[in-house]
Amino acid sequence: MALSRVCWARAAVWGSAVTPGHFVTRRLQLGRSGLAWGGPRYLFPRQLLIRHFWTPKQQTDFLDIYHAFRKQSHPEIISYLEKVIPLISDAGLRWHLTDLCTKIQRGTHPAIRDILALRECFSNHPLGMNQLQAFHVKALSRAMLLTPYLPPPLLRHRLKTHTTVIHQLDQALAKLGIDQLTAEEVKSACYLRGLNSTHIGEDRCRTWLGEWLQISCNLKEAELSLLLHNVVLLSTNYLGTRR
């Protein structure tokens, strides 16, 4: 049992971590801006070699580029959350979501209780997984480094599948214990869940991953839209990563 838990948790760390989807690769191929994407000679190792063949410097540089790409969708996602606040029937939930969006826009890292207070809000209209609008699921797909160029029902289904898998892996990782992971595994786990861990110390990464797991393990299946949005909510302002 212990061995199976270790293997399952390793999958949580490495299963789909930091591997860019077709959308990212295609955008890099088509990108004309040398400043944003680097010159053609710089792109070759990133597109033709798998992650394990990257040099340490390439790993840092490429992960920074991928994170900068997914981070472009963060303001759009927060703006959408603000727009749907009037559609939320419960006054208390409207206040909590307004407060959370304000904190994030002002550069504050939200507390765990601030996020968990919104569980009900993300299980029903308008923020439940099945109620998300087309342009919002496209932005969330970009935040997950997934192609947004699919019909909205397929995007929604794929996001739900990815989030469910992460939720299951979170539960296995919580049982194993973060202290059982190596420094590299911790950083990879954080990156997979939305944090650019390349420039953050190991202890800080373990702290952030602990916050993520505390939120994830308190969510039910019907509330997984909140876990999906947590990729943005919990990572945007952590230790100045908003820059």
Side-chain angles (χ1 to χ4, degrees):
M1 289 297 293
L3 179 60
S4 64
R5 290 200 305 271
V6 170
C7 293
W8 184 242
R10 292 300 187 262
V13 174
W14 294 109
S16 59
V18 305
T19 301
H22 171 74
F23 176 48
V24 174
T25 302
R26 185 62 178 158
R27 284 293 298 272
L28 293 175
Q29 291 171 339
L30 297 178
R32 297 180 178 179
S33 172
L35 178 62
W37 303 109
R41 294 178 61 187
Y42 182 65
L43 294 181
F44 288 159
R46 184 152 37 115
Q47 296 187 33
L48 300 181
L49 298 178
I50 63 174
R51 180 180 184 273
H52 297 288
F53 290 102
W54 294 350
T55 66
K57 185 178 186 304
Q58 285 174 334
Q59 290 190 34
T60 299
D61 291 344
F62 297 165
L63 294 180
D64 280 344
I65 290 173
Y66 294 140
H67 182 72
F69 176 78
R70 65 183 178 183
K71 194 173 179 180
Q72 291 175 2
S73 64
H74 288 192
E76 184 178 347
I77 292 171
I78 297 300
S79 177
Y80 175 79
L81 293 180
E82 287 187 308
K83 290 178 180 178
V84 302
I85 289 175
L87 303 179
I88 300 172
S89 59
D90 186 273
L93 292 176
R94 289 199 302 270
W95 183 90
H96 278 297
L97 185 55
T98 300
D99 183 61
L100 180 63
C101 290
T102 300
K103 286 180 177 178
I104 291 176
Q105 290 173 330
R106 291 179 178 176
T108 301
H109 179 65
I112 295 173
R113 64 179 179 275
D114 295 331
I115 295 176
L116 287 178
L118 293 166
R119 284 179 293 184
E120 182 181 349
C121 184
F122 283 82
S123 63
N124 301 297
H125 177 79
L127 292 174
M129 191 74 77
N130 294 327
Q131 287 80 39
L132 297 175
Q133 297 296 309
F135 60 88
H136 193 50
V137 296
K138 289 179 182 291
L140 288 167
S141 294
R142 294 196 301 272
M144 297 288 286
L145 293 179
L146 299 171
T147 178
Y149 300 121
L150 292 173
L154 290 181
L155 293 177
R156 190 176 293 106
H157 173 74
R158 190 179 53 176
L159 285 172
K160 185 176 182 179
T161 299
H162 274 68
T163 307
T164 299
V165 170
I166 291 177
H167 187 232
Q168 293 170 346
L169 296 175
D170 286 343
Q171 293 173 327
L173 186 54
K175 291 179 180 179
L176 176 68
I178 298 175
D179 58 324
Q180 298 297 311
L181 301 181
T182 66
E184 185 177 2
E185 288 171 338
V186 168
K187 284 179 173 287
S188 295
C190 290
Y191 194 94
L192 172 64
R193 290 157 176 80
L195 181 70
N196 186 9
S197 53
T198 55
H199 304 288
I200 301 177
E202 177 187 347
D203 289 344
R204 296 291 190 178
C205 286
R206 290 184 186 276
T207 298
W208 186 89
L209 185 57
E211 293 181 5
W212 173 283
L213 293 180
Q214 187 171 340
I215 293 171
S216 179
C217 293
N218 276 284
L219 296 179
K220 302 176 182 177
E221 183 178 355
E223 301 165 339
L224 290 187
S225 177
L226 179 55
L227 187 65
L228 174 60
H229 285 81
N230 209 37
V231 170
V232 177
L233 301 176
L234 198 65
S235 68
T236 300
N237 296 322
Y238 188 64
L239 297 177
T241 53
R242 192 180 186 188
R243 296 192 303 269

